[in-house]
Amino acid sequence: MKRHRSKLLATLALVSLFSTAIAGAENWPQWRGPHFNGSSTETGLPATFSKTDNVRWSVDLPGPAASTPVIHGDRVFLSSTDLRTHKLLALCLDRRDGKTLWSEEVATGIEQDNRSNYASPSPVTDGERVFFFFGNGDLVAFNVDGTKLWERNVQKDYGSFAFLWTFSTSPLLHDGRLVMQVLQRDVPVSGRGRSDGPNDSYLLALDPKTGRELWKQLRPSNARAESREAFSTPVPHAHQGRSELLVAGGDAISGHDPATGAELWRWGTWNPNRITHWRLVPSPVAAEGVILACAPKGDPIYAVKAGLKGPHDDEDALAWVSDDRPISSDVSTPLYYQGRFFILNSDRKTIARVEPKTGNVEWVGELNSNSKLESSPTGADGKIYMMNHRGDVFVVSAGDKFELLHQVSMGDSGDSDLRSTIAVSQGNLFIRTGKKLYCIGSES
């Protein structure tokens, strides 16, 4: 009896440990991860790796894309181009071995200019459905087994996009709504944009089950020309019991009611002279009572106080403004991790650790990269992971002192302008280069 009871207790202990391990694993359901700030609670991630060391698997991709893979359970979803057929693809791989579970063609034609392609937006998933948006306006929903649920084209339904370059924003899935933002010019540019009506900027919420419109909210702007264009993604935020969607672009940052899209507050501007070429790329990130808005082209970071109501254009609405030019981000969205912001400056090739409430710069690290870093930093297991245009990956300690833990080339000949963010899930890193997807780490 005692022996049986001992075996039972041992079995229960193993089950408990297994359950704890499973509970500790996190999905990466959208491009900024499970917490909408670039961080994950995953542990046991490698600090060093290469194209051969610590690689669980790698697969060849049909074409390049700036989109970030998203992971839920044993499925990896990613959008892609196909250079051979010039198609846009929705892909699903098995997380355990990289085998293709399904591949669906979405549209023909992969680009409109030589700066980027239509597969720059990242998909988003809730584990039951996965949603793919492409820069040509196609928005498609599948179940996780690859059955198409619905599709629509945002340009056909709401008017041609008025952007100088290829439009890119990733969809947000939050609180039972699929949210998109289109912050664009008010007049056509290079033959793109509506000629049969106003080129309004707007937020759009759809029913994830059907694609039916739940609400559409105009989002006006005083910006001029290209400064009206934003390639950012809306981010959910809660502060003192109030939930809102954060939207950055058009020379302003604003908070919106998730249920209706109505604007709750606005701060602006980082562009008082209304310079015309200040398009915005970084998305907002919020923590500890402040919301970061990144002015472009080497200008400062603005920390807006959370909890505002109505319009604001003065310094009283700000907690701090960065005054050191390395503390700036033209493209990368900052990371919030372990109580600190980490701000990647792609042009200066530096990363800074910043105290959220005060803006105090605790350190600035030189990455000595041979090309720009325009992916967004990822934080997990006490480390920061990021990749440059050529596929060189940098691993930095998130601790009190700057320490470059590892630098490795994961790119191949011809890789350039790589912007995909490194994803973390189920004990692994997912690194997308121009030609391959790598799964790095131990089996899980």
Side-chain angles (χ1 to χ4, degrees), residues 65-67 79-81 88-89 106-113 116-123 132-140 152-156 159-171 180-182 184 192-193 202 230-231:
S67 55
S79 54
S80 184
T81 59
L88 296 174
L89 304 179
V106 174
T108 300
I110 62 175
E111 60 190 8
Q112 70 181 28
D113 56 62
S116 58
N117 59 54
Y118 290 136
S120 294
S122 302
F132 292 83
F133 176 69
F134 296 88
N136 66 349
D138 280 313
L139 178 61
V140 188
R152 59 189 304 180
N153 186 285
V154 177
Q155 289 200 88
K156 291 179 181 178
S160 177
F161 297 147
F163 289 86
L164 178 62
W165 303 107
T166 303
F167 177 48
S168 174
T169 184
S170 297
M180 300 288 302
Q181 71 173 46
V182 181
Q184 60 185 339
R192 294 185 286 273
Y202 57 90
F231 302 86

Side-chain angles (χ1 to χ4, degrees), residues 158-204:
Y158 297 98
S160 177
F161 297 147
F163 289 86
L164 178 62
W165 303 107
T166 303
F167 177 48
S168 174
T169 184
S170 297
L172 167 68
L173 188 60
H174 180 64
D175 199 21
R177 303 175 186 90
L178 185 67
V179 181
M180 300 288 302
Q181 71 173 46
V182 181
L183 306 188
Q184 60 185 339
R185 298 195 186 206
D186 54 347
V187 295
V189 55
S190 301
R192 294 185 286 273
R194 294 186 63 178
S195 58
D196 60 344
N199 287 282
D200 292 319
S201 291
Y202 57 90
L203 306 178
L204 179 68

Side-chain angles (χ1 to χ4, degrees), residues 21-33:
I22 295 297
E26 278 195 315
N27 297 310
W28 191 272
Q30 55 96 37
W31 86 277
R32 288 312 278 152

Side-chain angles (χ1 to χ4, degrees), residues 1-19:
M1 185 69 178
K2 287 183 179 180
R3 182 179 299 176
H4 176 74
R5 185 171 182 270
S6 297
K7 288 183 177 180
L8 177 61
L9 289 174
T11 301
L12 290 174
L14 287 173
V15 170
S16 177
L17 286 172
F18 179 76
S19 299

